[in-house]
Amino acid sequence: MRTLGQGLQVSALGLGCMGMSASYGPRPERADMVRVVRAAVERGVTFFDTAEVYGPFDNEELVGEALAPVRDQVVIATKFGFDIEPDGTQHGLSSRPETIRRVADEALRRLRSDRIDLFYQHRVDPDVPMEDVAGTVRELVEAGKVGHFGLSEAGVANIRRAHAVQPVTALQSEYSLWWREPEADFLPLLEELGIGFVPFSPLGRGFLTGTIDPNASFGADDIRASIPRFAADAMAANQALVGLLARIGAEKEASPAQVALAWLLAQRPWIVPIPGTRRLERLEENLGAADLTLTPADLQAIDAAAEQIQVAGERYPEQMDRMIDR
């Protein structure tokens, strides 16, 4: 178990559920994904991440169905921040107070719950002052509909502004051995303010597992088809990082994925990665990272080797990158 901000206790590794309903190719059978979520609970996972925009809506319904029998034993995080019509049509961002309230009520229904344990602003809305966003979430906390407030892909200034109105429990952003930007500004800030960090894509959207062929291609329904880091030349160049994880793993009798996750867990005690998967065997592999200890010497060796590797390709295509608050 680990503790995020404001005393929120969760399992050291959570489960990111997005890929069960969106972004990574053809959707699997919902019943199969319900079984995977419940298998995670059986194996000690207490922290589950979803959002209204995943689907849209379908992922919250899946998570709600899967966790209804154990609702009081788990922490469910979901998100607001997009302008989505009932038919799923999207119109960019919206964190207007009335939108936040509506999304909260609809999420509660889909999640089959009387509360949202952790409610993130998914992306910062430049048209709504952060004080208004945090104040609206504070009202939802006071009403008992929300337990904790989180931010996703927010910049330093907006984190401070939000935290001054309603204490922030967690920041969610990408962080892994192939995306280390949070180390410069975010980790010191979160430590100062007592905010936990929830890295998504801690396995580089699957690349750091070593299971993606560098010549692989992705369909139009797979987000990786649009990400520069998954272009053929970038994947070929980035194999050096997978090779590093594999070498360390061979010494530790661990997989590259387990090394990548153990490295993240070793960075701070309040970091809780949320790797996603659709497969039971991958779930079990990922959870094994919590039992893998990397010594200070191991971490120094990994950092020294990683510094010699230049990761190729941008993290996001331009349109998605513009939505990141800086």
Side-chain angles (χ1 to χ4, degrees):
M1 301 296 290
R2 291 195 164 199
T3 303
L4 298 172
Q6 318 314 315
L8 181 61
Q9 289 195 320
V10 296
S11 51
L13 288 164
L15 181 63
C17 299
M18 178 185 76
M20 296 178 176
S21 304
S23 300
Y24 288 97
R27 292 190 188 186
E29 291 293 327
R30 176 164 164 167
D32 293 338
M33 298 301 94
V34 168
R35 283 192 286 271
V36 171
V37 172
R38 290 179 176 171
V41 175
E42 292 168 359
R43 287 156 178 78
V45 176
T46 69
F47 188 33
F48 296 85
D49 184 88
T50 182
E52 62 157 356
V53 76
Y54 302 158
F57 313 130
D58 297 344
N59 199 246
E60 285 184 329
E61 292 176 349
L62 185 162
V63 170
E65 176 185 348
L67 296 177
V70 293
R71 180 63 190 92
D72 291 336
Q73 302 170 33
V74 298
V75 171
I76 300 177
T78 192
K79 309 176 191 75
F80 65 87
F82 287 92
D83 185 2
I84 309 174
E85 294 184 13
D87 65 359
T89 304
Q90 298 181 39
H91 302 287
L93 301 174
S94 176
S95 283
R96 296 188 302 273
E98 60 270 24
T99 301
I100 298 172
R101 297 187 191 102
R102 174 180 54 77
V103 171
D105 287 339
E106 292 174 353
L108 289 170
R109 175 180 54 81
R110 289 190 287 264
L111 293 171
R112 308 184 187 188
S113 180
D114 62 353
R115 70 194 182 283
I116 298 167
D117 298 308
L118 177 56
F119 203 28
Y120 290 103
Q121 183 187 37
H122 208 153
R123 293 291 186 272
V124 172
D125 185 344
D127 295 328
V128 180
M130 182 55 75
E131 290 77 7
D132 292 352
V133 174
T136 303
V137 175
R138 183 181 62 195
E139 293 171 4
L140 293 170
V141 171
E142 292 169 349
K145 293 182 177 182
V146 169
H148 295 266
F149 178 34
L151 297 170
S152 178
E153 299 281 42
V156 168
N158 272 315
I159 293 171
R160 288 191 181 279
R161 290 171 64 187
H163 193 69
V165 175
Q166 170 62 34
V168 176
T169 289
L171 173 71
Q172 185 175 122
S173 189
E174 187 170 354
Y175 182 34
S176 70
L177 269 169
W178 85 339
W179 182 255
R180 300 181 65 171
E181 186 176 278
E183 293 174 347
D185 295 321
F186 289 110
L187 294 189
L189 175 68
L190 300 181
E191 191 145 35
E192 173 195 339
L193 299 180
I195 299 172
F197 191 33
V198 178
F200 65 77
S201 298
L203 297 174
R205 296 181 173 82
F207 189 79
L208 298 181
T209 65
T211 61
I212 296 180
D213 188 297
N215 298 312
S217 59
F218 303 94
D221 55 357
D222 192 314
I223 190 175
R224 291 170 292 191
S226 66
I227 293 178
R229 196 158 285 191
F230 284 90
D233 56 345
M235 286 198 291
N238 293 333
Q239 283 296 309
L241 193 54
V242 175
L244 168 62
L245 293 170
R247 289 195 300 275
I248 299 292
E251 297 171 4
K252 298 288 184 179
E253 298 184 348
S255 70
Q258 289 172 333
V259 175
L261 292 171
W263 178 86
L264 267 177
L265 290 170
Q267 299 309 303
R268 298 290 193 283
W270 34 265
I271 288 178
V272 179
I274 50 168
T277 186
R278 299 173 172 182
R279 296 165 56 187
L280 178 58
E281 62 268 31
R282 291 299 181 201
L283 170 68
E284 293 179 336
E285 177 186 348
N286 292 343
L287 295 181
D291 297 321
L292 176 59
T293 299
L294 296 176
T295 67
D298 293 331
L299 295 170
Q300 283 186 335
I302 292 171
D303 285 344
E307 285 178 4
Q308 304 306 311
I309 299 171
Q310 182 66 43
V311 178
E314 295 297 325
R315 172 193 178 201
Y316 277 143
E318 184 178 351
Q319 181 180 2
M320 293 177 68
D321 190 66
R322 286 199 298 268
M323 298 176 70
I324 306 304
D325 182 46
R326 294 181 172 86

